[in-house]
Amino acid sequence: MKKFKLLFIGILSMSTIYGQEISDVLRYSQNEIHGTARFRAMSGAFGALGGDMSAVSLNPAGSVVFSQSHASVTGSVVGTDNTTNYFSNYSNSEESKFQINQGGAAFIFRNNNRSSDWTKFALSFNYERTNNHNSSWNARGLNTDGDQDFSNSVASYFYDYADGKRLDEISALPDESITRAYREIGDLYGYAHQQAFLGYESYILDPEFDEDDNTTYFANVGPGSFNHNYTYIAAGYNSKMSFNLATQYKNILSLGLNLNSHFLSYDRTTILLEDNSNIGSTITNIDFRNNLWTRGTGFSFQLGAIVKVTPEFRAGIVYDSPTWYSIDEETSQSVTTVEETDSNSFTTVINPGIVNVYPRYNLQSPGRITGSLAYIIAKRGLISFDYSNTNYSKTQLSPTYDDFFADQNEVMRNTFANASTYRFGAEYKIKQISLRGGYRFEESPYANKTTVGDLTGFSFGLGCNFGSMRIDLAYDQAERSSQNSLYNLNFGTPPSANVNTKNQNFTFTLAFNI
C-alpha cells in the first residue's frame, strides 16, 4: 500500500513541484528589436536621437525631441526560419505572421515663460512588442551516442527522476485511476515524483524489488541506437506599455522617465517520439508529450538623458531597471509506450488528463545600462551608435527561501554571463525621402557561448515625409544558433539538437503630427 503523508508535508516540499527551465527564464528576460520601421531600419541605434516612438521606449528622454505632438502605429510581417541539425540530419521549418507591434503618441507642451530655462515638456504613451516567441522546429535522426548504456534514450529522463525514490511514492494504488494517482502524487510529492510515476506506470522502468520501500530501478530499454523525432512548437510574446514624462533644459539637455507595465505570454508543446530495436529492449517505442502555458505581468522603470554636446554631436545614457515579473504556469503531459514480447505487442497509454497549476512565482530580470552617440551631418543625415551591457547572471527567481529557486539561482549565476550589445545606424535624406541602414551584434548570454550563440543582424529601409505625415518601411534580419536539449537530466548530458534561427521582418509604420 502506498503510505500517504499529510498534505502539509507536501506543502513543505513545495520546491519540488516546479518544472521551470533556465532557458525559459532567459527567454522571458530578453528583448528583441521591435517597434517602428524607422527604428528597426537603423537596428535600434536611437539612444542619443529620440524623435521616434520606439526611441522613446529605448530612451525616455527622446520624447521631448519631437518638435510637436506626434503619433505612430506599426505593423510587421514577422518570419522565422529554423534549420535543425540532429546527428547530421537536417530539417527546415518556416513560418510568418502579421501583427500590430507598436502604437503610441507623444504630446508636446512648450513653456511660454521666457524666463524659464525649461523649454519643453512631453507626456507620452507607447505600446510595443519587445520579443516574439513564435517558433517551431523538428529534429530527426539516429542517436548513436550511448552504446554502453541507455543515456541517449528518453528512458534516462524517467530513470533520473525515479532513482532513490520509494516505489509507493511513484505508483498507483490497486484499482486507483491514473488520473487520481498522478494528481495526488503531484500534490504530496511534486513534479519530480510525477515524472517517475509516468516512467513506472508506462513500463519504461521496473523496480529491483516489488516492495514499497524499493528505491532502485532498471530500464526496459537496452543500450544502443535510438531513432528520435522531436517536435517543438511555441507561440507568444513579451510586450511593454510605457507611460513617459520628459523635459528639456535650454534646448541642450533632455531628461526623461518611463514607467513600464510588462506582459508575458508563452505557450509551448513538445513531442518526442523514440523507437529502437536494441538487444535487451522490451520497450521499443516511446511517445512523450509536454505542454507548457505561461502568463505573467511585470513592472520596470527607465531613466534617460540626451545632451547636445555641440549642435551636431549628441550623447545619451539610459538606465533600465530590472523587470519584476509575477508569473503563473500550468503544464500537462502524457506518455505512450509499445512493449514487445516474443509473441505479443502491448500499447500502454498514460494520459492523466490533469493540468498542473503551479504556485505563482516571481522573476527579476537583470537591469541594463545603455550609452549612445550620434552625429548629425548637415541636417541631411546622421550616424549613431548604441552600446548596452546586461549581466544575465543576476537573473533571479523568488521566493528565495524556496530550495528549488535557490538552486536555480545558483545555476544561473554559474551559467549566464555578462553580455554586450552593439548597434550602428545611419540615415540620409534626399528631399522627402530618407534612406536608412543598420547593423547589430549581441554577445551570447551564456558563459559557454554555445548553448545560445552570438547574434548578428542587419537592416535597411526608407521613409517618405509628406509634411504632417510620414510613411516608413523597413526590412531587418537577425541570426543566431542554439543547442536545444530534447529533455532535461539532473545528472549527465541529454541529447540536443543544433538549431540555427533566422528572423526576418518586414515593417510598415504610419507616423503623423497631431
Side-chain angles (χ1 to χ4, degrees):
M1 283 290 283
K2 185 184 301 178
K3 301 169 179 64
F4 285 107
K5 300 181 181 179
L6 295 177
L7 182 59
F8 77 87
I9 298 178
I11 296 174
L12 292 175
S13 303
M14 195 66 77
S15 65
T16 64
I17 73 169
Y18 298 100
Q20 291 89 359
E21 303 172 11
I22 64 170
S23 59
D24 290 330
V25 173
L26 179 66
R27 179 180 294 106
Y28 307 150
S29 301
Q30 288 183 302
N31 292 329
E32 266 291 344
I33 292 181
H34 288 268
T36 68
R38 187 183 180 210
F39 185 82
R40 298 178 81 151
M42 295 174 59
S43 289
F46 258 87
L49 293 172
D52 181 276
M53 290 310 303
S54 290
V56 177
S57 185
L58 172 66
N59 186 339
S63 61
V64 80
V65 175
F66 286 114
S67 59
Q68 64 186 92
S69 299
H70 178 90
S72 67
V73 62
T74 301
S76 295
V77 177
V78 180
T80 303
D81 183 351
N82 288 314
T83 301
T84 306
N85 175 15
Y86 188 67
F87 286 89
S88 300
N89 189 29
Y90 290 85
S91 59
N92 181 263
S93 62
E94 299 180 11
E95 62 177 82
S96 61
K97 184 178 182 180
F98 175 79
Q99 60 186 28
I100 300 297
N101 66 323
Q102 183 274 327
F107 301 92
I108 306 302
F109 306 92
R110 296 187 179 274
N111 190 352
N112 295 321
N113 183 357
R114 297 186 177 182
S115 64
S116 174
D117 292 328
W118 299 96
T119 56
K120 281 195 297 184
F121 300 90
L123 171 67
S124 66
F125 305 87
N126 190 52
Y127 170 83
E128 196 163 285
R129 291 281 179 98
T130 58
N131 207 346
N132 173 47
H133 301 316
N134 296 334
S135 184
S136 63
W137 50 270
N138 177 256
R140 298 188 302 272
L142 182 64
N143 187 325
T144 60
D145 274 355
D147 291 338
Q148 303 303 316
D149 54 27
F150 59 92
S151 59
N152 55 334
S153 166
V154 70
S156 62
Y157 169 87
F158 298 105
Y159 177 85
D160 192 33
Y161 278 109
D163 188 38
K165 293 181 175 61
R166 288 174 57 99
L167 178 59
D168 61 355
E169 295 177 352
I170 65 168
S171 58
L173 288 167
D175 300 323
E176 184 181 27
S177 70
I178 292 296
T179 296
R180 180 177 179 181
Y182 180 85
R183 180 178 59 245
E184 291 184 344
I185 287 172
D187 289 341
L188 291 172
Y189 306 113
Y191 175 84
H193 282 70
Q194 285 180 324
Q195 307 316 293
F197 169 83
L198 293 176
Y200 173 76
E201 294 293 343
S202 63
Y203 302 106
I204 295 172
L205 305 177
D206 272 335
E208 183 176 4
F209 305 102
D210 192 12
E211 298 174 359
D212 284 349
D213 59 356
N214 176 82
T215 58
T216 57
Y217 303 86
F218 62 89
N220 291 311
V221 174
S225 301
F226 296 86
N227 281 302
H228 285 149
N229 187 342
Y230 181 87
T231 300
Y232 172 101
I233 303 170
Y237 59 88
N238 283 37
S239 63
K240 179 174 73 171
M241 174 67 77
S242 298
F243 171 76
N244 167 265
L245 292 170
T247 186
Q248 190 174 78
Y249 179 78
K250 288 187 174 181
N251 201 33
I252 296 174
L253 175 66
S254 300
L255 301 172
L257 165 69
N258 281 351
L259 300 177
N260 306 310
S261 294
H262 295 261
F263 307 94
L264 162 66
S265 174
Y266 179 65
D267 299 322
R268 181 181 68 220
T269 296
T270 62
I271 304 170
L272 175 57
L273 306 178
E274 175 183 293
D275 66 81
N276 78 91
S277 56
N278 300 332
I279 296 174
S281 287
T282 56
I283 296 297
T284 57
N285 295 80
I286 300 174
D287 179 343
F288 185 37
R289 304 185 178 221
N290 286 271
N291 300 291
L292 171 67
W293 181 93
T294 304
R295 297 294 183 270
T297 57
F299 170 78
S300 72
F301 67 88
Q302 296 165 279
L303 298 172
I306 298 174
V307 60
K308 288 186 179 179
V309 181
T310 69
E312 298 82 15
F313 183 59
R314 299 179 182 181
I317 188 167
V318 183
Y319 169 71
D320 285 80
S321 77
T323 301
W324 295 275
Y325 278 108
S326 178
I327 296 178
D328 295 298
E329 284 191 342
E330 298 178 3
T331 64
S332 63
Q333 53 186 175
S334 66
V335 61
T336 301
T337 60
V338 175
E339 181 181 7
E340 300 282 357
T341 65
D342 292 338
S343 57
N344 292 296
S345 177
F346 302 94
T347 299
T348 301
V349 178
I350 304 299
N351 184 0
I354 292 292
V355 175
N356 291 313
V357 180
Y358 298 112
R360 181 171 297 172
Y361 68 96
N362 299 316
L363 165 64
Q364 178 181 311
S365 69
R368 181 172 62 248
I369 295 288
T370 301
S372 309
L373 300 172
Y375 190 80
I376 311 300
I377 306 171
K379 295 184 179 181
R380 298 191 62 181
L382 62 90
I383 54 175
S384 60
F385 167 72
D386 284 8
Y387 169 81
S388 62
N389 186 270
T390 307
N391 189 351
Y392 287 100
S393 67
K394 292 188 178 296
T395 306
Q396 184 168 284
L397 294 164
S398 63
T400 54
Y401 59 75
D402 184 289
D403 291 339
F404 174 82
F405 289 143
D407 290 342
Q408 291 294 86
N409 291 337
E410 181 65 24
V411 169
M412 289 189 289
R413 280 191 289 270
N414 295 325
T415 303
F416 295 154
N418 213 48
S420 295
T421 298
Y422 308 84
R423 299 176 181 175
F424 302 86
E427 180 180 65
Y428 187 74
K429 296 180 181 179
I430 305 173
K431 295 183 179 181
Q432 287 82 24
I433 303 299
S434 297
L435 305 178
R436 303 170 183 130
Y439 171 82
R440 63 179 170 131
F441 175 81
E442 297 182 15
E443 293 179 337
S444 168
Y446 278 81
N448 63 17
K449 304 294 183 182
T450 56
T451 303
V452 172
D454 297 332
L455 179 146
T456 57
F458 67 89
S459 56
F460 57 85
L462 58 86
C464 187
N465 193 330
F466 298 97
S468 61
M469 183 180 71
R470 191 178 73 232
I471 295 176
D472 297 314
L473 300 172
Y475 169 82
D476 66 277
Q477 175 180 306
E479 190 169 357
R480 81 186 324 160
S481 61
S482 60
Q483 293 181 342
N484 297 267
S485 298
L486 305 196
Y487 46 85
N488 292 320
L489 292 176
N490 293 322
F491 305 99
T493 303
S496 62
N498 295 318
V499 180
N500 187 74
T501 300
K502 182 186 296 184
N503 293 313
Q504 303 180 82
N505 307 286
F506 296 91
T507 304
F508 170 87
T509 296
L510 176 64
F512 49 93
N513 296 327
I514 54 178

